[in-house]
Amino acid sequence: MPRAGQSAGLALAGKTMLAPPDEAETSGQPAQDGALESGPMGLIACQHCDTLHAAVDVEPGGMALCTRCGYVLMRRSRFPLSFWQSIAGCALIVFAIANFFPLVHLTMLGKTLDANFIGALWLTWENGHFILAIMTGLIGFWFPLTQLCFLFWALGCLRRNSLPPDFRAAMRIYTLVGPWSMVPVLMLAIIVSIVKFAGLATLEPGPGVWAFAVMTFLMTALSRLDSVRLWQYAETEGLVAPSLDTGLPEDKLAACHACGYVQAHHLRDEASQCERCGSVIRKRHAHMRTRVWALVLAAAIVYIPANVLPMMEIRSLMGSSEHTILGGVIELWRLGSWDLALIVFAASVVVPITKLVALTVLLCGRRWRGEGTQRQRTRLYELVEFIGQWSMLDVFVVILMSVMANFPGMSQIIAGPAAASFGMVVVLTMLAAMSYDPRTGWDMGPRTPAETTDESKRTR
Ligand SMILES: [Zn+2]
Ligand SMILES: [Zn+2]
């Protein structure tokens, strides 16, 4: 296979299509104004189709897409590292305000109450819902905090141009917690809880709610800085070597999902350790389909009690009543908040079912081949990844409402058994999406003439 060490990209409306090494031209294109100076350019492997590309300079504000499946291979920010570190520092301060100051100040029949997310977690624990308290505590508090601390520290290391030995382990943890940090979902849950509660008590928003809104905005901006991106910064700064072309054939090379480093990997189904960051790398997982099927089936089974059992129990002076997920949606609709009713319905019913159906389609549609079909399959997989965490909405709503209604003797909201089941559905479907390897669809390539003839004989 002919290789080119460095190639020029084709700039398209702020996007740069990266050329695969064997299609790359060695003729240079003048560097864009303000483009970062680059060291030796190496190889980049697409995480969704495994195509190898020769890296090119991307102008600030631009991004490079895979020529085969369209996945974003790299982005280049307009802003320097110091800017991103300041944003991460601000997010940490705002995080403290959001969690330790009241979200809302409530008054009911002369009694007052300040509610915040930490209080909601503590109350859930005290009520004996240990799994629910641990699950929501991790994804709403500990994972976002870990993510911010590691990002702030890593950006500091990159700014000082020195990578301590702990950088590798820190980046592995950062990669692990990233998908499980759900601040935007928690923000939406706060809005839904406030709207649901507005008619039942006098309610004033506290500093926590504004801090959560700011933190959602900051963390969405920071989410672009994943570990592969941080390692790319380290490459650009010359702190680590880029993945250089060693002339090995593509089937003997594998890319690390955590740092993007392309390295020799001789056994297709065996795991090995990344030479750069120490993460486990595999060319392909031998039992990927079995594992995803098991997780999809487990999620489908747990989804039944999540819908049938009560999500919460409301105790008031008028008596007590139990509400399922759909019951909560209908109640929101009755309150006149049809927009929020639709959001909760989408997050609690449409999103989990879409995830289960999409993963089943991805697992079953192995015979569908061709570039166009594989691109559609890749888009479907990206949709499953994107919507993954939003179904956690109703679980957050339940624990937030339990702390807002905590007026013993007057009103109380207790999480029902469906809340933990529903949380498990979200975790299982997210694990299924993470276990699915979209590269396997691209492995099969177009159907050969012999296979087409066999197929037509069978259908006759
Ligand atoms: Zn690709
Ligand atoms: Zn690695």
Side-chain angles (χ1 to χ4, degrees):
M1 184 177 65
R3 300 283 183 127
Q6 186 170 353
S7 70
L10 173 68
L12 285 172
K15 295 174 181 176
T16 302
M17 307 291 286
L18 284 195
D22 44 359
E23 289 174 17
E25 294 170 13
T26 44
S27 59
Q29 177 179 294
Q32 304 274 335
D33 281 346
L36 285 176
E37 286 293 317
S38 62
M41 303 308 281
L43 294 174
I44 296 184
C46 174
Q47 294 195 3
H48 282 184
C49 72
D50 216 17
T51 306
L52 280 178
H53 297 78
V56 291
D57 266 352
V58 177
E59 71 272 29
M63 57 179 156
L65 304 179
C66 171
T67 50
R68 196 180 185 196
C69 74
Y71 178 70
V72 178
L73 293 172
M74 61 187 294
R75 293 175 193 272
R76 181 139 296 166
S77 171
R78 292 178 197 278
F79 305 106
L81 285 173
S82 53
F83 170 81
W84 289 112
Q85 201 192 12
S86 323
I87 296 286
C90 287
L92 274 169
I93 296 166
V94 177
F95 182 90
I97 300 171
N99 282 286
F100 294 102
F101 281 78
L103 285 173
V104 281
H105 184 74
L106 296 132
T107 312
M108 187 187 271
L109 300 174
K111 289 194 175 179
T112 59
L113 171 82
D114 283 335
N116 65 8
F117 183 58
I118 301 285
L121 293 174
W122 183 242
L123 189 67
T124 311
W125 181 271
E126 277 192 329
N127 287 337
H129 297 287
F130 304 121
I131 295 176
L132 191 61
I134 292 169
M135 195 189 293
T136 45
L138 285 175
I139 61 183
F141 183 85
W142 287 111
F143 289 161
L145 178 63
T146 312
Q147 194 188 15
L148 281 176
C149 290
F150 277 101
L151 180 61
F152 184 77
W153 175 79
L155 287 169
C157 295
L158 290 170
R159 279 186 67 195
R160 289 194 302 275
N161 273 344
S162 77
L163 294 193
D166 299 337
F167 191 82
R168 285 157 47 106
M171 284 299 96
R172 289 204 299 274
I173 298 170
Y174 183 68
T175 310
L176 219 59
V177 298
W180 300 99
S181 152
M182 302 187 186
V183 170
V185 186
L186 184 51
M187 179 66 224
L188 189 56
I190 292 168
I191 297 172
V192 172
S193 315
I194 290 176
V195 171
K196 271 190 165 185
F197 221 81
L200 304 172
T202 314
L203 189 148
E204 277 174 45
V209 77
W210 305 116
F212 256 110
V214 175
M215 191 169 68
T216 304
F217 177 73
L218 296 179
M219 289 201 73
T220 307
L222 289 169
S223 66
R224 288 186 168 191
L225 296 175
D226 59 9
S227 61
V228 175
R229 185 76 198 89
L230 292 172
W231 280 106
Q232 281 173 352
Y233 266 120
E235 277 180 20
T236 315
E237 301 295 325
L239 299 172
V240 290
S243 322
L244 290 176
D245 188 357
T246 51
L248 278 172
E250 277 190 38
D251 61 334
K252 299 285 183 235
L253 292 170
C256 172
H257 71 284
C259 72
Y261 190 60
V262 182
Q263 56 210 281
H265 186 87
H266 295 283
L267 295 169
R268 185 181 169 88
D269 296 329
E270 298 286 318
S272 66
Q273 237 188 0
C274 173
E275 292 168 23
R276 186 200 262 174
C277 76
S279 295
V280 175
I281 54 168
R282 292 175 198 274
K283 188 73 180 163
R284 298 293 182 273
H285 199 301
H287 306 294
M288 183 275 284
R289 287 172 57 78
T290 319
R291 180 193 285 218
V292 181
W293 268 125
L295 289 164
V296 166
L297 287 175
I301 292 167
V302 184
Y303 190 57
I304 299 168
N307 276 282
V308 175
L309 295 175
M311 193 73 174
M312 61 175 138
E313 185 193 343
I314 301 178
R315 295 175 191 166
S316 66
L317 295 171
M318 319 284 286
S320 72
S321 57
E322 290 183 334
H323 295 254
T324 57
I325 288 175
L326 275 176
V329 174
I330 294 165
E331 198 198 331
L332 265 176
W333 191 280
R334 272 200 306 115
L335 288 171
S337 311
W338 57 269
D339 41 0
L340 285 181
L342 286 177
I343 289 172
V344 176
F345 181 75
S348 309
V349 181
V350 179
V351 169
I353 290 178
T354 306
K355 278 196 286 186
L356 291 175
V357 171
L359 283 166
T360 309
V361 167
L362 287 170
L363 288 167
C364 290
R366 292 180 79 197
R367 289 186 173 184
W368 305 337
R369 299 199 191 172
E371 290 272 306
T373 313
Q374 289 311 331
R375 272 179 175 254
Q376 284 171 6
R377 283 168 61 99
T378 309
R379 293 293 92 78
L380 186 63
Y381 174 69
E382 286 166 2
L383 173 78
V384 173
E385 271 193 320
F386 176 72
I387 61 176
Q389 48 177 245
W390 286 95
S391 29
M392 208 61 172
L393 178 71
D394 228 26
V395 179
F396 280 134
V397 169
V398 170
I399 68 156
L400 286 166
M401 287 203 61
S402 67
V403 76
M404 287 187 191
N406 191 26
F407 290 96
M410 286 192 286
S411 81
Q412 245 179 327
I413 291 179
I414 314 281
S421 305
F422 204 80
M424 287 307 294
V425 173
V426 183
V427 171
L428 289 168
T429 48
M430 282 182 70
L431 285 174
M434 286 172 192
S435 305
Y436 180 79
D437 186 348
R439 300 174 300 181
T440 50
W442 291 93
D443 285 347
M444 288 185 289
R447 203 174 279 264
T448 62
E451 284 175 312
T452 315
T453 317
D454 279 0
E455 184 68 22
S456 60
K457 274 181 195 162
R458 252 182 277 143
T459 51
R460 252 178 231 159

